[in-house]
Amino acid sequence: MTEPAITPDLIAAHGLKSDEYARILEIIGREPSFTELGIFSAMWNEHCSYKSSKKWLRTLPTTGPQVICGPGENAGVVDIGDGPDGKKLALIFKMESHNHPSYIEPHQGAATGVGGILRDVFTMGARPIAAMNALSFGLPGHPKTAHIVKGVVEGIGSYGNCFGVPNVGGEVRFHASYNGNCLVNAFAAGLADADSIFYSAASGVGMPVVYLGAKTGRDGVGGATMASAEFDDTIEDKRPTVQVGDPFTEKRLMEATLELMRTGAVISIQDMGAAGLTCSAVEMGDKGGLGIRLQLDDVPQREPDMTAYEMMLSESQERMLMVLHPEKEAVARAVFEKWDLDFAIVGETIPEDRFLILHGNDTVADLPLSKLSSEAPEYDRPWVETPPAADMLPVPQVDPLDALKALIASPNYAHKAWVWEQYDHMVMGDTVRAPGLGAGVVRVHGTDKAIAFTSDVTPRYVRANPVEGGKQAVAEAFRNLCAVGARPLATTDNMNFGNPEKPEIMGQFVGAIKGIGEAVSALNMPIVSGNVSLYNETDGVAILPTPTIGAVGLITHPDQIIGTDIRKNHVALVLGKTTGHLGQSALLSVHSNSCEGDAPPVDLALEKAHGDFIRAHHAHISACTDLGDGGLALAAFELAETTGIGITLDASDTPTLFGEDQARYLIACTSDQAETLITEAARSGLSLSIVGKFGGPDVSFGGASALLDDLSTLYRTTFGNTFA
């Protein structure tokens, strides 16, 4: 087959700038072949190389005594203490985006996002125990939104349910900025023995490079490059770049991979994700300081007459690449044959710094391997700070109960059971706290331990003030973990932004990174893994800056878990001072359709002190939630609605009820427990005050009342009525 000529249009279609192509010519001293152009395009695009973000990602705190492995591998690894057999246990987790594919083909885009993040986890030797997802959609009334919501939720549910991993949390939001570019951020976590973790750096010369899993097809060719581009009116042309997933094959692949690892055959192993065979081979070789030779005729193929270009850039799902101890070939092959999966030696490691690709009798690529990965372009993009927002706002004149009804009748704040009831959150039998209110909690089987999971960000805060918004995303994740009794351990980030070539967008990214870095340092929650997704815009309209924070926390004994055991006559208390910050609040957004004001300031020392207080006094707390969107009013309603017991709040003014001051928790407990907590808080110099009482059939704000049952019906039917 004759390869196309390398033209400026072809170079541009591969997402390469003219100066980047000039750099390629300088590196290899000649014009690249078509396959080589595709390889450079895949490895140097934003999605794989992080060329606009590396400079700033390096500033994030990534180490700590709990960290076994930080960023750079398939997922991050933290120590969670001893397991049931006395061996040290590790939690392996990561969050990653599948935004562009999910907008083009919602079901398969979201499904393969789940599949990809699960492979990142079990590639390192961990059995997945939990999944989450953070979803951002356009306005409910937009013509495409309902189709995308249904497709994404079905895709997540179908893949995760068939694979058999509990989906225990996440978030769903709606905003006009996502009309042309939804966000699908997928999280997965798994458990492994700390001394049995597998990494991706190849070692040893002449070692077999082995292809594992499903066959290679043409689906997903060019997917990584597509994910590093803005959308325009040619979006439908990109549909073939979306992969197709098979969760049952993925389940077999996981079992085969974990069994393979127990044989001692694995030197290194890597998931075939973005850019498929190209990226996995290059990363393994580069990390090990070795070259790789591949013979493409040996690659298992499910379609006839595939070209070298297609095989190297296919993103067909459920595939892995391994460097094998050669003496273990027979036992390794037997494992994969038992699971009815392909096992093919497709190449070997070589001492030279070369990525040598053979197809038939032709050398279709011969490139310096290290130049493809660790020496990809790196940019210091120009950036400008986001202008400070005015924080003096008129207080909206609104009846508090009408304001609450407006919030719970909004898909942003209505009950999300319509979403998470499509996910299996009880599979494996270890889920302690299901989705619906705060962090999810999963037992570590065979021990007294449990792990808490949450994902958080408030994009309107980040748009108004990227530094404070970045801090707040981490602080809210910290609070959600503390509110269930978990000690926060570490974080993963998913940085979703628009076009970094625009200084104002790059300024949002830089500000958010600064805020996140400050917060994870102060709260001892280092970033151990993550993902950057840029160019999230359509026809020049960018999404809200959305740096999603996924966080994990450790519970060492079931007695530490704070539940939702609210009883009649329980006291409602707020830990933290309320000044009534309404800038960028949910109330303004929903009731007034306003995005005015500054983000609420985040006092990280106070966040830590309050979180430590909650965990230290968990025995005196029957239920707890952090105060975030919608302030005290929405938090109090949600706690009351969870148990069907009404609540009376003393306050009736809008700032106290709906202000979104940070570092606050709402606590439910007995009168005696409240007295103890108030005494302990005073001793620690913290503000803790009684704000109301649980009981009765109503929700009451300063004397005005509405039946909890009526509010609950509105709250629980809005989302389904909107999208069913």
Side-chain angles (χ1 to χ4, degrees), residues 48 51 182 189 197 231 249 265 267 313 361 431 467 483 618 637 691 702:
C48 291
K51 58 191 176 186
C182 67
I197 296 167
F231 285 148
T249 299
I267 294 175
L313 298 183
N361 296 320
T431 303
V467 175
H618 65 87
F637 166 76
V691 296

Side-chain angles (χ1 to χ4, degrees), residues 84 105 184 214 264 304 312 328 356 408 453 466 519 631 699 704:
E105 185 13 84
V184 175
M312 292 306 298
K328 296 277 190 178
L356 184 60
I408 63 177
F453 302 95
V699 172

Side-chain angles (χ1 to χ4, degrees), residues 521-546:
S521 177
L523 300 175
N524 191 26
M525 299 168 69
I527 297 277
V528 298
S529 60
N531 172 249
V532 176
S533 175
L534 304 177
Y535 296 96
N536 288 291
E537 47 185 270
T538 298
D539 295 328
V541 178
I543 61 162
L544 288 180
T546 311

